[in-house]
Amino acid sequence: MTGHLPPRFAHWLALREPADAAARAEDLVDLVRPRLAGAGPLVVHDLGAGTGAMARWLAPRLPGPQHWILHDRDADLLARAAAGMPAAAGDGGPVTVEVRCGDLTRLTAADLADASLVTASALLDMLTAQEVERLVAACAGAGRPALLALSVTGRVRLTPADPWDGRIADAFNDHQRRTVDGRLLGPDAVHACAAAFARHGVDVVLRPSPWRLGPQRAELVGEWFTGWLDAACEQRPELTGPTRAYAGRRRAEIAAGRLDVLVEHLDLLAGCG
């Protein structure tokens, strides 16, 4: 996992958090909860924690006491995450937190040996195949369940449809698979991760976790659309001129509350069979 975070990344994480919470496959928490029962204080390693959205969503759904270990390469994001952690679990038990700044793709089974659960959110699609393999090997080697949420699949649907939608989606998906010190997996990541767990003999459950965005999330729709189109044009610069009219139409629809967007994701739970 390489490169630098965009300057507005923290704002983007905050903007998407409510949509993430609405999309997450909550039934996977129901599947993992019995695996954690009676294990004493829970230790949860959250990989690529960002501003802590996964912990804020999940901690109230698990029993306490809990100790969360937040991993990220950005110290500023980790400080925000630690400050925003819930104080109590769903049953009122205490929740404590520590942060670890570094390259989470270099974690080993020994680093996760104290974990009750490993979590991540919107992470896998930013990794290379080698990084996913290392992450899976660490989780499988530690023998701990892993809940890895909100991985993009590359499928989006805009309503009303426009003839340019498919071309932009294809270019965006190619951008997600670009080479950045290694070829990123992008929309192929979640299935590559599932296959890697299977090679380690670890069962996997997949659930859809789509964003369903409309006028009630107009700011998020606008930010998503801008990022989606910019990435597509970065990947295929020849689209920049021809898509100006398309961009204008779409932004007018967003402003008028007439555009709905479905962005498909998958949540993955490993090791609870």
Side-chain angles (χ1 to χ4, degrees):
M1 194 174 179
T2 56
H4 298 288
L5 295 175
R8 286 171 51 83
F9 193 62
H11 172 73
W12 167 249
L13 294 179
L15 188 61
R16 67 175 287 171
E17 185 169 346
D20 287 350
R24 297 182 193 279
E26 193 154 355
D27 68 313
L28 294 184
V29 182
D30 297 333
L31 293 179
V32 77
R33 198 180 289 113
R35 174 73 182 268
L36 306 176
L42 301 183
V43 177
V44 184
H45 284 255
D46 189 31
L47 311 183
T51 55
M54 181 64 156
R56 281 189 292 276
W57 180 83
L58 185 56
R61 289 167 169 79
L62 297 177
Q66 300 171 26
H67 182 65
W68 282 73
I69 302 173
L70 308 181
H71 299 260
D72 207 285
R73 56 185 174 145
D74 189 291
D76 291 337
L77 290 181
L78 284 173
R80 292 174 186 243
M85 281 291 292
D91 60 3
V95 174
T96 57
V97 61
E98 69 176 277
V99 298
R100 296 183 185 175
C101 190
D103 185 355
L104 60 90
T105 67
R106 298 291 178 178
L107 295 174
T108 67
D111 295 316
L112 302 177
D114 63 343
S116 310
L117 175 67
V118 178
T119 64
S121 185
L123 172 68
L124 294 178
D125 40 84
M126 296 190 293
L127 304 181
T128 67
Q130 184 181 41
E131 289 168 340
V132 166
E133 291 285 348
R134 287 200 299 262
L135 176 61
V136 168
C139 293
R144 304 300 189 260
L147 178 59
L148 310 176
L150 294 170
S151 297
V152 296
T153 68
R155 292 184 292 274
V156 301
R157 185 172 72 243
L158 287 74
T159 306
D162 186 286
W164 277 98
D165 294 343
R167 291 183 65 182
I168 301 304
D170 289 344
F172 176 82
N173 289 338
D174 286 346
H175 184 270
Q176 294 292 91
R177 299 182 179 104
R178 68 195 182 280
T179 298
V180 184
D181 295 332
R183 182 178 177 274
L184 304 181
L185 283 171
D188 307 317
V190 66
H191 292 295
C193 184
F197 272 116
R199 287 193 293 274
H200 283 272
V202 179
D203 63 287
V204 168
V205 178
L206 294 172
R207 291 285 189 273
S209 52
W211 275 0
R212 302 180 188 276
L213 309 180
Q216 75 284 3
R217 302 199 194 278
E219 185 181 3
L220 178 58
V221 174
E223 289 280 348
W224 171 84
F225 177 78
T226 295
W228 186 64
L229 181 59
D230 285 353
C233 291
E234 180 181 314
Q235 183 69 22
R236 298 183 190 171
E238 68 274 14
L239 295 175
T240 302
T243 57
R244 284 179 183 141
Y246 167 76
R249 289 194 303 273
R250 285 309 199 193
R251 291 191 173 106
E253 290 166 347
I254 294 168
R258 294 198 304 266
L259 184 66
D260 293 318
V261 178
L262 176 75
V263 182
E264 293 190 15
H265 304 92
L266 284 172
D267 286 7
L268 181 154
L269 175 64
C272 278

